[in-house]
Amino acid sequence: MKFLEAIKRRKKGVINKWEHFFPIYDSYFEEVQDQPVNLLEIVVDRGCSLFTWQKYFPNSQITGIDINPDCQKFEEDNIKVFIGDQADVTFLKKVNGQTGPFDIVIDDGGHMMNQQITSFKTLFPLLKDGGYYVIEDWHTSFIAEYFDGGEKTIDFLKGLIDGLNFWAMEKIEIIENGKIKTITVERERSNFAEIISSIHFYNAIVFIQKGKNQEGTVENKGVYPRKMKNLMIYISPENKFLYQGES
């Protein structure tokens, strides 16, 4: 089932998502629709999104959080709703403790910088290996009304990009006695560097996958398994490809 079809077949609620998100979600999640996915969405609002995910993942457990107490009325069957602030670390850990760990976390909450960053810092380490953390509407990093005096989400995400190659950032090649020598240097790096396997940016939405990240190896387990090793390819002066094998 496509995400758009799930919206049309939902029980109730009013949708409020960018239309171009729909095929992007399909490209990640359509293949695992029948698996027992455990999903958390930050925002309940008028309920449509929770009921869409309920239809999209028929064997799932859906959790929603919102600051509006009225949203608790949307609880039913496999949908659980918690009332609290997405920037409250204690609250987020409580939710994870009761209905987590999650395969998918989707932040469509208040879109303020501190909210987005705090939610990620708290929930991503608790995400299942191989799972996805999705931030919707990260374009608010460019809209002044969402600034709150601290770091912008886009700058935080750029730091995560650097962390994907943390092992390269910690090594420098120098020439010593006419030979290239690699030395290790101390550099500050993200706490997430070794547990983020990939980051995928789109217009107003970003997918961050949890997985083992080491030099030459990326590995995910769980709902979205994937394992890769770097293949070292050498090209001779005659432009012939010389396959060296796995690094």
Side-chain angles (χ1 to χ4, degrees):
M1 180 190 303
K2 298 295 184 181
F3 190 77
L4 179 58
E5 183 64 22
I7 292 173
K8 294 177 180 178
R9 295 174 60 183
R10 72 192 187 278
K11 285 184 179 181
K12 52 188 171 182
V14 179
I15 190 68
N16 182 25
K17 284 189 184 294
W18 294 98
E19 188 174 0
H20 74 273
F21 289 178
F22 303 169
I24 297 174
Y25 274 126
D26 286 330
S27 70
Y28 285 88
F29 302 142
E30 189 173 14
E31 292 185 354
V32 296
Q33 281 184 329
D34 294 328
Q35 294 193 30
V37 171
N38 193 10
L39 182 148
L40 166 66
E41 181 154 35
I42 300 173
V43 75
V44 176
D45 195 23
R46 290 168 286 182
C48 176
S49 191
L50 294 185
F51 289 107
T52 297
W53 290 120
Q54 182 189 54
K55 185 65 66 175
Y56 194 79
F57 294 117
N59 301 311
S60 61
Q61 172 63 45
I62 308 295
T63 300
I65 67 175
D66 205 290
I67 59 173
N68 183 359
D70 290 341
C71 290
Q72 205 125 34
K73 65 185 179 184
F74 294 114
E75 277 196 353
E76 62 170 65
D77 301 329
N78 61 334
I79 294 178
K80 177 71 175 176
V81 175
F82 293 88
I83 305 303
D85 184 353
Q86 74 170 107
D88 183 337
V89 173
T90 301
F91 167 70
L92 294 177
K93 289 182 177 180
K94 176 183 176 182
V95 172
N96 184 83
Q98 292 192 29
T99 58
F102 301 104
D103 299 293
I104 302 170
V105 175
I106 300 171
D107 181 359
D108 187 24
H111 308 318
M112 299 294 290
M113 304 297 99
N114 182 56
Q115 291 176 325
Q116 291 175 334
I117 294 173
T118 300
S119 295
F120 178 85
K121 285 183 174 180
T122 304
L123 293 172
F124 186 81
L126 304 175
L127 193 67
K128 289 182 183 178
D129 191 26
Y132 280 100
Y133 193 102
V134 183
I135 302 176
E136 293 189 2
D137 302 322
W138 64 270
H139 66 280
T140 55
S141 286
F142 305 96
I143 303 176
E145 66 182 277
Y146 293 96
F147 300 168
D148 43 26
E151 184 179 17
K152 294 181 182 178
T153 301
I154 182 59
D155 294 324
F156 174 75
L157 293 173
K158 288 177 179 177
L160 298 183
I161 295 173
D162 291 341
L164 287 174
N165 292 301
F166 72 90
W167 50 270
M169 294 171 61
E170 294 177 347
K171 296 179 180 179
I172 294 179
E173 289 187 345
I174 63 172
I175 297 178
E176 186 176 276
N177 299 324
K179 296 182 179 181
I180 297 178
K181 180 180 179 180
T182 300
I183 62 173
T184 302
V185 296
E186 292 294 328
R187 294 181 186 267
E188 183 178 354
R189 59 184 167 104
S190 165
N191 293 329
F192 305 98
E194 296 183 60
I195 60 171
I196 293 179
S197 59
S198 63
I199 306 174
H200 309 155
F201 285 89
Y202 303 88
N203 181 354
I205 188 170
V206 58
F207 289 68
I208 306 166
Q209 188 171 31
K210 186 177 181 183
K212 186 178 180 181
N213 180 34
Q214 295 181 337
E215 180 177 1
T217 302
V218 173
E219 183 176 350
N220 297 313
K221 299 178 181 178
V223 178
Y224 313 95
R226 182 164 60 92
K227 185 173 183 178
M228 300 184 300
K229 287 189 176 182
N230 288 348
L231 298 179
M232 301 299 294
I233 305 296
Y234 292 89
I235 303 177
S236 72
E238 295 79 22
N239 289 325
K240 293 182 179 179
F241 289 90
L242 305 176
Y243 172 59
Q244 181 71 14
E246 293 184 350
S247 62

